[in-house]
Amino acid sequence: MPASPEFAAAVYAIVARIPPGRVTTYGRIARALGEPRAAREVGWALMNVPAESDLPCHRVVNREGRLTGGWAFGQPEIMRCLLADEGVPFVEAEQVDLERCVWDPGDDERERRQPALFPPA
DNA sequence: GCCTTGACGGCAA
DNA sequence: GTTGCCGCCAAGG
């Protein structure tokens, strides 16, 4: 019951739109929503996401690509395994290669024309 | 009612 | 180019 239900709904919608093998950052979502400074609220919205939800919140990382909310899944390695299983490259144990798997909600249509999810760097 | 904390980001030094 | 500090939104104590 957040004060900005529409904001949370938008976050959920974007997170649900994240393609497999791809990750996005809180800032990207916030910016896509028109509030680049509301990255914190995005994180808070995800925190409010019930575990029963099918939202791939594990694909949401901070701008560093670090699995900051790993403990929200009960254990960080859970999210790590999920991302790794999707083919998300990791540069660190708790950090994904954003340069290779970053996905921007605004580029959604652009990505749709690009079936190739993992272009060679 | 005010201060602190938090799944963060951006700008300045 | 890198590192550090401040800011923003919201909730909890």
Side-chain angles (χ1 to χ4, degrees):
Chain A
M1 27 164 304
S4 309
E6 51 184 277
F7 192 94
V11 174
Y12 301 149
I14 293 174
V15 173
R17 282 166 126 176
I18 301 175
R22 282 289 178 79
V23 293
T24 192
T25 67
Y26 303 97
R28 297 274 183 179
I29 299 173
R31 199 177 279 257
L33 287 159
E35 303 206 10
R37 272 59 175 183
R40 254 175 178 150
E41 190 177 345
V42 177
W44 237 96
L46 286 171
M47 181 187 90
N48 266 272
V49 169
E52 61 211 31
S53 185
D54 290 334
L55 289 176
C57 32
H58 60 272
R59 291 178 193 157
V60 185
V61 295
N62 64 350
R63 66 171 221 93
E64 289 182 42
R66 210 179 252 166
L67 315 188
T68 41
W71 287 104
F73 292 81
Q75 192 138 11
E77 63 182 66
I78 303 284
M79 182 183 345
R80 201 197 317 166
C81 184
L82 284 166
L83 292 170
D85 183 68
E86 291 181 6
V88 175
F90 278 73
V91 294
E92 295 285 332
E94 297 179 8
Q95 187 175 28
V96 302
D97 193 338
L98 276 178
E99 291 300 304
R100 292 213 304 176
C101 62
V102 70
W103 173 83
D104 199 292
D107 281 356
D108 189 12
E109 286 191 41
R110 191 177 70 95
E111 293 296 325
R112 284 183 180 183
R113 306 179 318 171
Q114 299 277 3
L117 293 175
F118 298 103

